[in-house]
Amino acid sequence: MNALDVNFVTLTECLVSSGYRLDMGGINVPGIHYNLSGKGRFIVGNEPPIDIVPHTLIIVPLMSSFRIEVAGKNPSLPLITVDGRAQAKGQTISGGTIRRFVAGDEESPEVLLICGVFRTSYGSATDLFANLTGPIVEQFDSADMLDTRLEMALKELIAQEVGAKAMSAALMKQVIVALLRRSLSSLNVWVERFSILSDSKITRAFADMAARPGANHTSDSLAQTACMSRSAFFARFTELIGRSPMDILRDLRLRQAAQQLTATKLTIEQIAGNSGYGSRSSFVRAFRKAYGNGPNEYRAEAQKKNRSGRAEGAEASELPDSSAS
């Protein structure tokens, strides 16, 4: 972890009262969001809602919009939507260096999150979180003391004493390290990206696979990238990840294909080629085995969900914004 470099741009507070929804736009760096108190829902783009409770940590991919919702006492009433992007600079806390975004009553929010934007690199590698296509969600607890570290980072930025930025960055690094440690035992799908950080040679090969999943990778070429013999590379990679390099490469390729199916209008043949498959038929077989549906069915289902999400958002936007009264 000595080679881990963490930089962050800013920290904010997001406060949401019962019966409100706070909409926030995406920016060009990943975001970190930690729920200090209360229960609600956190929704990233068109992803399924994430139930949040105290100590839920969420990493949001760059350029991803998100919203925080808290159900009202009367579930039949629609939520009141507040556009956080319209709160140009938010509401500043004393000292003027921390922004606060509020949906509802600032004095009695149901949910309070500390949010930040950051960059994390390992050695000479690119940003570890830059290529995320979906949110990372992990549940911590009070014993992990992530809330304490984030609150201390906030206080440092508010106080603006000598070394405040360095101290805040050090505290943020502790939070990211806790997340990376969790990757060693978590069963969530994002862990392959971090569980190899202890071995720089395997990290180099894995980084190449993750950055260019559609390239003509082989066990021999990946071993050369790692500067290892083929047998040593295969054994070490499998020991660290628990699966063979070509199994992981297949998953990376199909995950890229799924993202392109939902986010682009590329043909199935183009997506197959981008994902390293020589024929449409072999790609369709592999995709169906991994996701249960063929590429066309997967795309149609994603488009249906997107239309449903847009319709729900349009309906909510037609409601009067009673927070302005």
Side-chain angles (χ1 to χ4, degrees):
M1 294 297 180
N2 290 334
L4 183 68
D5 184 30
V6 177
N7 295 290
F8 72 95
V9 179
T10 187
L11 288 173
T12 66
E13 287 185 335
C14 290
L15 294 78
V16 185
S17 296
S18 176
Y20 281 81
R21 174 192 292 119
L22 178 63
D23 277 356
M24 299 293 289
I27 56 177
N28 62 350
V29 287
I32 183 170
H33 307 271
Y34 190 88
N35 187 29
L36 293 178
S37 62
K39 297 180 180 180
R41 300 200 311 172
F42 194 106
I43 304 169
V44 179
N46 294 314
E47 297 280 342
I50 301 164
D51 291 326
I52 56 174
V53 297
H55 309 296
T56 301
L57 184 146
I58 301 171
I59 303 292
V60 173
L62 58 84
M63 302 308 297
S64 296
S65 61
F66 65 92
R67 59 188 187 272
I68 305 164
E69 301 180 347
V70 179
K73 294 180 180 179
N74 186 345
S76 64
L77 294 178
L79 298 178
I80 300 170
T81 299
V82 174
D83 188 352
R85 292 161 292 193
Q87 298 181 13
K89 294 185 178 180
Q91 302 178 21
T92 57
I93 305 174
S94 62
T97 59
I98 302 297
R99 292 185 293 175
R100 173 177 284 169
F101 296 92
V102 182
D105 185 356
E106 183 175 2
E107 299 303 320
S108 57
E110 174 64 25
V111 165
L112 169 58
L113 294 96
I114 292 182
C115 305
V117 291
F118 69 101
R119 291 185 176 90
T120 303
S121 59
Y122 180 74
S124 60
T126 56
D127 193 325
L128 294 178
F129 296 91
N131 294 323
L132 287 178
T133 57
I136 292 173
V137 183
E138 286 292 339
Q139 185 61 45
F140 291 88
D141 57 42
S142 58
D144 296 303
M145 299 182 66
L146 299 194
D147 52 344
T148 301
R149 293 182 174 93
L150 287 168
E151 288 175 327
M152 289 174 63
L154 270 174
K155 291 177 181 178
E156 285 287 338
L157 290 177
I158 292 173
Q160 285 295 291
E161 296 181 357
V162 175
K165 288 187 177 180
M167 182 65 75
S168 296
L171 290 164
M172 179 65 79
K173 180 175 180 177
Q174 292 179 35
V175 174
I176 299 301
V177 167
L179 179 63
L180 296 181
R181 285 177 175 172
R182 177 64 63 88
S183 76
L184 300 177
S185 59
S186 176
L187 298 178
N188 290 338
V189 296
W190 60 272
V191 301
E192 302 103 313
R193 193 172 182 84
F194 306 113
S195 59
I196 38 74
L197 291 177
S198 60
D199 191 308
S200 60
K201 292 183 177 181
I202 300 300
T203 298
R204 190 181 305 121
F206 183 86
D208 193 25
M209 293 164 62
R212 304 182 305 122
N216 187 28
H217 297 296
T218 65
S219 294
D220 287 333
S221 68
L222 291 170
Q224 290 176 3
T225 300
C227 300
M228 301 172 69
S229 70
R230 183 181 183 279
S231 59
F233 169 73
F234 191 94
R236 182 60 177 154
F237 190 103
T238 304
E239 178 187 358
L240 284 172
I241 306 296
R243 298 167 63 200
S244 74
M246 303 317 289
D247 281 348
I248 295 299
L249 178 61
R250 182 191 63 236
D251 286 356
L252 290 170
R253 286 174 168 176
L254 293 175
R255 198 176 300 173
Q256 172 184 278
Q259 190 275 332
Q260 291 185 353
L261 285 167
T262 59
T264 75
K265 295 183 179 180
L266 295 174
T267 66
I268 302 302
E269 288 78 9
Q270 289 172 319
I271 293 174
N274 291 345
S275 302
Y277 285 86
S279 69
R280 175 188 172 115
S281 59
S282 61
F283 167 67
V284 170
R285 283 196 302 271
F287 193 91
R288 189 182 299 278
K289 183 177 180 180
Y291 288 93
N293 287 327
N296 283 322
E297 294 87 351
Y298 185 92
R299 171 175 271 170
E301 184 64 26
Q303 290 173 344
K304 181 180 178 181
K305 289 180 180 179
N306 287 342
R307 286 193 297 268
S308 176
R310 287 195 296 268
E312 180 183 348
E315 181 181 350
S317 67
E318 294 173 359
L319 298 171
D321 185 357
S322 62
S323 65
S325 61

